[in-house]
Amino acid sequence: MTEVERILRFASVTWGSLIADDWTRPVAEIVAKSSNKTFRGLRSMAFGDWKTVFCLLPGRLRNLPQRGAIFDVVATTVRKQRTDEHLSAIVRLRNAVVHDHGDYFNRPQSDLVREMYSACSRAIDVLSHLYQAHVLPMALQPQEERRDRYGRRLLTLTDAEGMAVEVFVAQETDMSQPLIYVTSGVSMRDVAPILLPANTIEAELGQDRYPQ
C-alpha cells in the first residue's frame, strides 16, 4: 500500500507543479470538497486524500494553456479505467487495517487474505493500465542525445530498470541530471515533451522520493 500511495503522490505533485501559481490551491479545494475537512498542507494528506487528488486533478488541469490537451487525455484515461473505484478498495482496506474498523482482525484469516489480495491486485492492475496507456509521469535518466536523419534532436532516457524511452527535444539536455517525463498519452516518440528537473519534484515530495 505504501508503494501505491507513493505513486499517487508522485503523479499528483508532478502534475500540480505545472501550474504557474500556487498549485496547492486546486489540491486544497479537492480535499476540502471530498472530505469536508480543512486542508492543512500536503504533509497532512491521508492516503484517501491522495487517491482523490490523483483521480480529479487531471480534470482540473484541462484548461492549462498549451498543456490542457495532455490532461484531457490523462483525465479521460483515468475515468475510463474506473481508477477511483479500483483505488478506493485499497484505501478502505488500509483504513480498516490501521483503525481496525468493525473488529477487522476477528474475521477468519482466509477472508482477510482474500480481501487483501483482491484490493492490492485491483490497485496494481489499474496503475499498470495507466502506465501502459502512457499517462503516468516517469522518473528517467538521460543517456544519449543524437541527431536523426532529418537533423532532429533525439534524446534517449532510461528508467531504473533500464527500459529506454526516446523523445524529440528542441535544445540540448543536461545529461547528468535525472528528469521527470510528463507523458502525454502518445505511444510513439513525443515531440518537445514536458521534462522537469527531478530535484524540483523531490523538493515538493520532501523525504518521499519519486518511485523508481
Side-chain angles (χ1 to χ4, degrees):
M1 283 181 277
T2 299
E3 190 63 23
V4 171
E5 183 174 1
R6 289 181 65 206
I7 292 172
L8 304 186
R9 286 168 53 89
F10 166 65
S12 299
V13 169
T14 299
W15 292 333
S17 68
L18 298 177
I19 303 175
D21 54 0
D22 182 12
W23 70 267
T24 60
R25 187 176 67 252
V27 171
E29 292 171 354
I30 291 172
V31 172
K33 186 175 181 179
S34 65
S35 63
N36 294 318
K37 64 183 181 183
T38 303
F39 179 72
R40 302 185 184 279
L42 299 181
R43 300 294 182 269
S44 69
M45 289 174 59
F47 188 10
D49 296 328
W50 283 111
K51 182 270 299 182
T52 302
V53 170
F54 176 83
C55 293
L56 297 182
L57 184 59
R60 294 288 190 96
L61 302 182
R62 281 173 159 160
N63 296 323
L64 279 181
Q66 301 179 339
R67 294 170 176 173
I70 291 177
F71 289 105
D72 188 48
V73 173
V74 174
T76 299
T77 305
V78 167
R79 176 177 52 81
K80 285 185 175 180
Q81 291 294 332
R82 296 160 55 200
T83 304
D84 186 88
E85 176 186 335
H86 293 302
L87 291 179
S88 291
I90 198 171
V91 171
R92 288 192 297 270
L93 173 62
R94 180 266 180 196
N95 290 340
V97 169
V98 172
H99 303 294
D100 195 13
H101 289 165
D103 295 324
Y104 187 79
F105 291 104
N106 290 334
R107 300 161 56 197
Q109 186 176 14
S110 59
D111 289 350
L112 297 177
V113 171
R114 188 181 306 109
E115 184 175 348
M116 290 180 180
Y117 178 81
S118 174
C120 291
S121 295
R122 291 176 67 181
I124 293 170
D125 286 347
V126 74
L127 292 175
S128 296
H129 283 305
L130 295 179
Y131 179 80
Q132 292 166 8
H134 207 57
V135 297
L136 291 182
M138 303 173 68
L140 302 171
Q141 178 64 49
Q143 298 294 340
E144 178 188 23
E145 189 176 280
R146 59 183 174 83
R147 297 279 185 174
D148 70 359
R149 59 186 296 185
Y150 302 106
R152 299 172 298 183
R153 291 181 185 271
L154 183 62
L155 175 64
T156 301
L157 312 98
T158 56
D159 64 10
E161 297 179 352
M163 186 192 77
V165 175
E166 292 185 333
V167 295
F168 290 108
V169 294
Q171 57 190 13
E172 188 174 349
T173 304
D174 182 354
M175 309 298 286
S176 66
Q177 299 298 320
L179 298 170
I180 306 300
Y181 170 31
V182 182
T183 52
S184 64
V186 177
S187 59
M188 304 298 287
R189 295 165 174 164
D190 259 334
V191 177
I194 302 173
L195 297 171
L196 306 174
N199 57 7
T200 63
I201 305 303
E202 282 188 321
E204 293 286 357
L205 288 170
Q207 295 181 344
D208 187 9
R209 284 174 53 86
Y210 47 80
Q212 296 293 321

